[in-house]
Every structure is written in C-alpha cells, then in structure tokens.
Amino acid sequence: MNIIMKQVAVLMSTYNGEKYIRTQIESILNQTGVNIKLLVRDDGSTDKTISILKQYEKEGKLTWYSGENLKPAKSFMNLIKNAPDADYYAFSDQDDYWKPEKLSRAVNILNTFDLNKPALYYSNTTLVDKNLKELKDKSAQRGPFTEVGQVVIGSNATGCTMCFNKELLKMVRKYEPSYQIMHDGWIHKICVVTGGNVFFDKKSYILYRQHDNNVVGGTSNIKKRWKERFNNLLQPTYSRSRGIQELLKGYSKFMPKYNLEICSLVANYRINLKNRIKLLTNKNIKTGDSRIDLMYRMAVILGIF
C-alpha cells in the first residue's frame, strides 16, 4: 500500500550565506517522511549565494527569487505572500542543520489538530558553534508560550523551528501590518490570539549555528539586545504594545472574547493611570519566566512596553 506523504513548503530567506548554505539545503532535502518544496528568497546577496541557488535550481531541487534588501522579518513575510500550495509550511534560516526527522515530527503533531483551525508547532533549539559542535550555553532552552497572557508579553518561538498549517498561512495573509515585528513572533501571536492550536516541543531537532555573521537569533546578539533595551529606556519605541495594536487592527474580529479583552488591555495601557494599574494587577498576564515577567512589569511601570 502506498503511503501518501504530506507536503511541506520550506521558506528560506538568504543573505550572503555562501559559507553555510549548502549544508543547510542538504539537510532540508534529506528530511524523511515528508515531501519537500523548497522556496528561497534572496535578500540582496553580494557573495556567491545566488550562484549556489542557481545550481540547485538547475538540478530541480528548489525554486528561488530575489528582491531588494528587506531585512529578515519582511523578507520572510514576502515568502509567506509567495508561498506555494502545500499541506504545511516551515521557515528556514540559511546556516543551520536540520536533523532528518525534524519536519516529520512537526507534521505528525500538527496532524492531530483540527485542520480547520490555525495550528503551529515550534521547538527548542540546540546551540552549536560554526563547526556544528554543541555549545554548553543552554540559553536557547525554554518552555512553552501557548496562552494569550504569555504572548502579549513576548514570543519565544524561534522561526527556524516553526511548522504550521494552511489555515494559519491563510490567517497571516489576511492582514499586512504597518508596523512589522519579527515574522516568527508575529505568526506565533496570530495563532494564539485567534484561538489556534500551538504545540511546543521540548526536544530539539535543529542544530542552531552561532557565528559572527548571524543576522538574528542565538547568543551572538546578546550584547545587541541589551543595547537596544538601554536605548529603549532613553527613546522608547513601545514596540511590544504597538505589536499588539497591530494584532487588534488585523485580527480583532477573529479573536475569542477573552483574547480580545487581554489584547485591548495591553494595547491601551498608556492611555491613563487606571489602565496601567489594571494591566499590572491582571494575574493572567504572565509568562511564568520570572526574569521576563519582571522586565515586563518594569516596562509597564515606566510606560515603555
């Protein structure tokens, strides 16, 4: 009896990735238990990345297109807009290594959910150095953010671990935000606030490469993140509450009543002192991570959340 395997469209954004991209592409093509469609958008590379993509395209192993340099978040959102028809979708960075069972594990989990509702899978990561040697740093290990009271504070869904169904893709396509937060956090939040299913896998099926040229993610950008936090104290961007405001603009009509109330509370906390106190005293808005929750409360008190 022939078993029909699910088709996964893998969406990869590249930028000057010649050093590691072959390893990542091969690990995607070697996924077991699923059929792969690999679509690549090059974000303005000036090295040999495009010639590598042309070679793989000639061999019939991927399709690709290029565009202006949009940076990662907008580049991945452009891939969402141009994604081919498939059963499931996954994001890929250009410099990691996927274990052969990464996508089949995600698909098997997603298959247990209602196909008519948005559904998202994401997992932990294994941090490795440029040579794929595991690092002792466990900062990438985390717990699930699957409740609305967690995702209004932040997202811990790493894009390269994510896999999601067609209903979530359709939901994401319904609204193009005027203020763009990172693509993975945006999609994670959309799934949760619209009442979709989210599964967090404590296990890791990806070697998450850390090196000097990382564009986003991992330990290489810790100093950068702390610099941004300090600058936000001096010149607040209100990025987190603005992100929730964008969710309300695009998805309020799809939100269950409780989720709508929580999002509205966060989006409007700076209007007056009463709203700020109401937000701070809401016991359902917390991540469960004491460090993150403390930073959240301090940001609300200072009015920079």
Side-chain angles (χ1 to χ4, degrees), residues 65-77:
Y65 66 101
S66 60
E68 62 178 307
N69 185 256
L70 299 175
K71 307 301 183 185
K74 290 186 177 180
S75 183
F76 277 108
M77 292 304 291

Side-chain angles (χ1 to χ4, degrees), residues 12 20 62 84 94 144 204 208 225 238 255 263 270 272 280:
M12 177 190 286
Y20 304 112
L62 59 78
Q94 64 185 2
S204 167
Y208 193 28
R225 290 200 296 270
Y238 316 110
M255 294 183 188
C263 288
R270 288 194 300 119
N272 54 49
L280 285 169

Side-chain angles (χ1 to χ4, degrees), residues 11-13 72-80 91-93 183:
L11 310 177
M12 177 190 286
S13 179
K74 290 186 177 180
S75 183
F76 277 108
M77 292 304 291
N78 188 269
L79 280 160
I80 285 282
F91 291 130
S92 171
D93 293 339
H183 61 287

Side-chain angles (χ1 to χ4, degrees), residues 44-241:
S45 292
T46 55
D47 65 355
K48 297 178 181 178
T49 298
I50 289 178
S51 64
I52 294 171
L53 295 177
K54 286 181 177 178
Q55 177 189 339
Y56 277 100
E57 181 182 49
K58 187 176 180 180
E59 296 171 358
K61 295 179 178 179
L62 59 78
T63 56
W64 72 281
Y65 66 101
S66 60
E68 62 178 307
N69 185 256
L70 299 175
K71 307 301 183 185
K74 290 186 177 180
S75 183
F76 277 108
M77 292 304 291
N78 188 269
L79 280 160
I80 285 282
K81 187 182 297 184
N82 292 289
D85 184 57
D87 298 305
Y88 295 102
Y89 300 85
F91 291 130
S92 171
D93 293 339
Q94 64 185 2
D95 47 12
D96 301 322
Y97 175 84
W98 290 8
K99 295 180 181 179
E101 68 275 23
K102 178 182 185 294
L103 291 181
S104 59
R105 165 67 174 173
V107 166
N108 288 337
I109 296 294
L110 291 169
N111 274 338
T112 66
F113 294 129
D114 184 350
L115 295 177
N116 296 313
K117 290 180 62 175
L120 169 69
Y121 164 100
Y122 73 104
S123 75
N124 263 317
T125 57
T126 301
L127 295 183
V128 296
D129 65 15
K130 63 182 181 180
N131 298 314
L132 299 182
K133 182 180 179 181
E134 186 170 351
L135 299 171
K136 293 182 179 180
D137 188 338
K138 299 297 182 182
S139 61
Q141 302 299 301
R142 62 201 71 188
F145 279 25
T146 58
E147 303 293 332
V148 65
Q150 296 175 308
V151 299
V152 293
I153 295 176
S155 170
N156 66 352
T158 305
C160 55
T161 73
M162 290 168 60
C163 188
F164 49 97
N165 68 359
K166 193 179 298 187
E167 288 304 309
L168 183 51
L169 180 86
K170 292 177 182 176
M171 187 66 76
V172 174
R173 283 175 169 174
K174 289 181 183 294
Y175 177 70
E176 185 173 347
S178 56
Y179 175 73
Q180 179 67 63
I181 63 175
M182 282 304 292
H183 61 287
D184 45 11
W186 176 246
I187 291 171
H188 180 205
K189 292 177 193 294
I190 289 173
C191 191
V192 173
V193 303
T194 59
N197 292 302
V198 177
F199 181 89
F200 170 76
D201 199 334
K202 293 181 180 180
K203 294 183 178 181
S204 167
Y205 298 89
I206 177 174
L207 304 186
Y208 193 28
R209 198 192 305 257
Q210 308 299 297
H211 55 87
D212 292 339
N213 296 322
N214 277 89
V215 178
V216 293
T219 58
S220 62
N221 279 305
I222 289 176
K223 290 182 180 179
K224 181 180 178 182
R225 290 200 296 270
W226 277 107
K227 183 178 180 181
E228 288 173 351
R229 289 166 184 164
F230 180 74
N231 290 337
N232 199 34
L233 286 172
L234 302 177
Q235 295 180 315
T237 61
Y238 316 110
S239 59
R240 290 159 291 189
S241 57

